[in-house]
Amino acid sequence: MSSPYPGEPTGGPSFLRLLIASVGGATLVASLAIVVFFVAERYGIPFVKKPEPAAVALQTSPQQTEALFLNGLKAPDAASEWWPARADHRLVAYAVLNCKQLLGVSLDLMPRPVFSALLLDLTPSGSHVFLTKDGDGALLAAHGKEAPPLALTNDDNDLLSLSDSIARARIAAAEGAQTNVPRVQGLGFITLVVAALATLFVTMQGKVRQVEPTDDEKKALLREKFRTRVSYALVGPGAGFRWVAFFAIFLSILATSLTGVKQVYDPTRNLTQNTRALLDLRQLHQDVILGVRCDNQSKAVRRDGRVAEEWAGTIRRMRATIIPEYGAYANLDVGGSSQRPDPTRADGRDADDARRAERDSLRPNRDSNTPIVPNPPAASTPSPTPAGGTPAAANPNPANPPPRQ
C-alpha cells in the first residue's frame, strides 16, 4: 500500500503509533471503570452489601441519670479532686438508696428528685445544681413517672450531709494546694538560683586580683569627661574585679530580700497545710464509707452516736485547717486553737472529750431501772442551844420567837 504523503515510509502503522494507541485505550477503560464504581456507590447500587451499623440499636436504650448530669455540666479535667470526692460520696448515697429498697428505682435510672435528695448533684464549684441540655429533661421526667417518693430519716440526712461536707472540703483543699504549686516551684527555683550565684560571686571575689591605678592615672582620669570615666569603670583595667564585687553584693542583698518576701508571702505553707488536710479528709471519707450500716427492719441507716460525734468533730477541725489563697499573707491560727476553751491541745480534742463525758454523765442509764436521785442538800450546822431556851434549829420561824415559859 502506498502512502499518500511524499517521503513517508510504506508498510502500515509504525510501532510508536501502536504503543500510544494501546496506552490511551487502557487509560480510557480504567477511567470509565472508576467512574462507574463511584456512581454505583454514590447512588445506592453497591457491589458489596454494606453491614448495618450496630450503633443504631443502642440509641433506643435509656440513658443513665449520671450521664445526663454530666452532659449538662462543664466537667473539670481528669486530675481534679472533684472526680474522686464525688465517687466516694456516690458510694455513701448508693448505700442509703439500697437500704430503702424502693421498688422501681434503680441506681442507673434514678429519678431527678431522688438524685438531688441524695446530694449527687455536686458541681466542681461546691454548689448543688442539676443542669440539663435540650431533650434531657424529658428523659429525666420519664425516669420518675412511677417511682415512689424517697423518705429520708434524720440519720440518713446526717450521713449524707457529712459525706457532702467532706467532699466539698476535699475540693477546697485540692484547689488551695494546686493553686500554690506553680508559685512554690517558681519562688523556690528563683531563690535557689540567686543563692547559688551569690555564693559563686562571693567565692570569685576572693580569687580575682584587684588592679589599683596610680596617683598620676587617677589625676588624669579625673580630668577626663564623664563618659570616659564610666567607660574606664566598666571595661577599663581592673573592671573584672569591680563586676565580681558588684554582683556579689547585689545577689547577697537579693537573696536576703527573697527570704523576707517568703516570710510575708509563703505559698509553701499553704501547699503543705492544704495537702495534709486533703490526705486526712480522704481517710475520713473512707472511714465514713466503711461505717455505713443498714437496719433491714426500719430500712434506714444505722449509726453509732459516739462515732457520729467523732466524725462531726473531725470534719469541723479539718475544715478549719484548710488555708485559702489569701491566707499566705497572714499568720493564721491554723485550726482555731485560740478560740477553744481548752488550749492544752491544738486540735481541741480534750475539750470535745470533756463535753462528751459531761453529756454521758447527764444521760440516764436505759439498761437499769434505777431512778436518778438528785444530790441531797448540804446539812446546815446547828447553832448552840442557849441555857433554858429552845434550840435555834427547832424554831421554824426565827422572826416570831416562841413565848417564854
Side-chain angles (χ1 to χ4, degrees):
M1 182 176 179
S2 60
S3 175
Y5 301 100
E8 185 179 356
T10 59
S14 64
F15 176 76
L16 182 59
R17 291 179 179 178
L18 290 176
L19 181 61
I20 294 174
S22 301
V23 172
T27 304
L28 180 60
V29 172
S31 301
L32 291 175
I34 293 174
V35 171
V36 170
F37 182 79
F38 175 77
V39 171
E41 288 288 329
R42 178 66 177 81
Y43 294 98
I45 313 176
F47 293 97
V48 181
K49 187 176 180 181
K50 294 182 179 180
E52 296 182 357
V56 177
L58 298 177
Q59 294 178 358
T60 59
S61 61
Q63 201 169 4
Q64 294 182 354
T65 308
E66 178 75 12
L68 296 177
F69 172 71
L70 295 177
N71 289 338
L73 183 67
K74 186 178 179 181
D77 54 355
S80 177
E81 184 65 21
W82 178 78
W83 294 100
R86 189 171 177 277
D88 291 341
H89 176 72
R90 192 161 57 244
L91 295 177
V92 178
Y94 286 173
V96 174
L97 183 61
N98 289 330
C99 186
K100 298 302 176 182
Q101 300 178 5
L102 296 179
L103 298 178
V105 178
S106 62
L107 297 179
D108 293 336
L109 304 177
M110 66 177 64
R112 180 173 179 175
V114 176
F115 193 86
S116 299
L118 296 176
L119 300 180
L120 290 173
D121 52 355
L122 178 65
T123 60
S125 61
S127 60
H128 290 274
V129 180
F130 197 139
L131 300 176
T132 57
K133 293 184 178 179
D134 297 338
D136 292 345
L139 296 176
L140 287 174
H143 291 172
K145 282 184 177 180
E146 301 178 357
L150 177 63
L152 298 175
T153 62
N154 293 331
D155 292 342
D156 298 335
N157 289 323
D158 292 344
L159 183 63
L160 292 173
S161 301
L162 176 63
S163 179
D164 181 72
S165 299
I166 297 174
R168 288 187 286 111
R170 288 174 59 177
I171 295 174
E175 289 180 355
Q178 292 175 359
T179 303
N180 290 278
V181 168
R183 300 173 183 176
V184 171
Q185 293 176 350
L187 185 60
F189 179 76
I190 293 174
T191 305
L192 179 63
V193 171
V194 170
L197 291 177
T199 305
L200 175 64
F201 280 99
V202 168
T203 305
M204 291 177 58
Q205 188 177 7
K207 302 296 183 181
V208 179
R209 185 174 60 86
Q210 183 178 6
V211 178
E212 290 289 343
T214 60
D215 295 337
D216 296 337
E217 292 176 349
K218 291 181 179 179
K219 294 178 181 180
L221 184 62
L222 291 175
R223 290 192 296 266
E224 297 291 338
K225 297 181 180 180
F226 177 75
R227 182 183 303 175
T228 304
R229 294 197 301 269
V230 172
S231 177
Y232 177 84
L234 295 179
V235 295
F241 178 81
R242 290 190 289 271
W243 278 110
V244 171
F246 169 76
F247 278 110
I249 297 173
F250 173 75
L251 292 174
S252 299
I253 296 174
L254 185 59
T256 306
S257 301
L258 286 175
T259 304
V261 169
K262 189 176 180 181
Q263 292 181 356
V264 176
Y265 172 71
D266 190 7
T268 306
R269 177 171 172 266
N270 283 21
L271 176 60
T272 305
Q273 189 68 31
N274 291 335
T275 304
R276 185 182 298 111
L278 177 60
L279 298 178
D280 293 339
L281 287 168
R282 288 177 178 176
Q283 182 179 0
L284 177 61
H285 215 166
Q286 190 67 27
D287 294 339
V288 173
I289 294 172
L290 298 177
V292 177
R293 296 292 183 270
C294 179
D295 189 358
N296 295 326
Q297 295 180 357
S298 61
K299 295 182 181 180
V301 172
R302 182 183 61 189
R303 63 169 188 169
D304 188 2
R306 186 177 297 275
V307 174
E309 290 180 1
E310 291 179 358
W311 287 345
T314 304
I315 184 59
R316 177 176 61 84
R317 289 189 298 268
M318 287 184 180
R319 295 193 69 170
T321 59
I322 299 175
I323 303 178
E325 182 179 357
Y326 53 83
Y329 297 96
N331 187 12
L332 296 178
D333 180 20
V334 178
S337 59
S338 62
Q339 300 177 1
R340 292 187 174 87
D342 188 0
T344 55
R345 295 178 61 177
D347 54 0
R349 295 180 182 176
D350 287 347
D352 295 340
D353 295 341
R355 288 193 294 267
R356 191 179 301 111
E358 182 180 358
R359 288 194 299 268
D360 293 341
S361 62
L362 296 177
R363 186 179 304 168
N365 189 2
R366 298 178 181 178
D367 297 336
S368 62
N369 297 324
T370 305
I372 299 178
V373 180
N375 295 328
S380 59
T381 304
S383 60
T385 303
T390 307
N395 185 11
N397 191 359
N400 298 322
R404 296 183 178 179
Q405 299 294 334

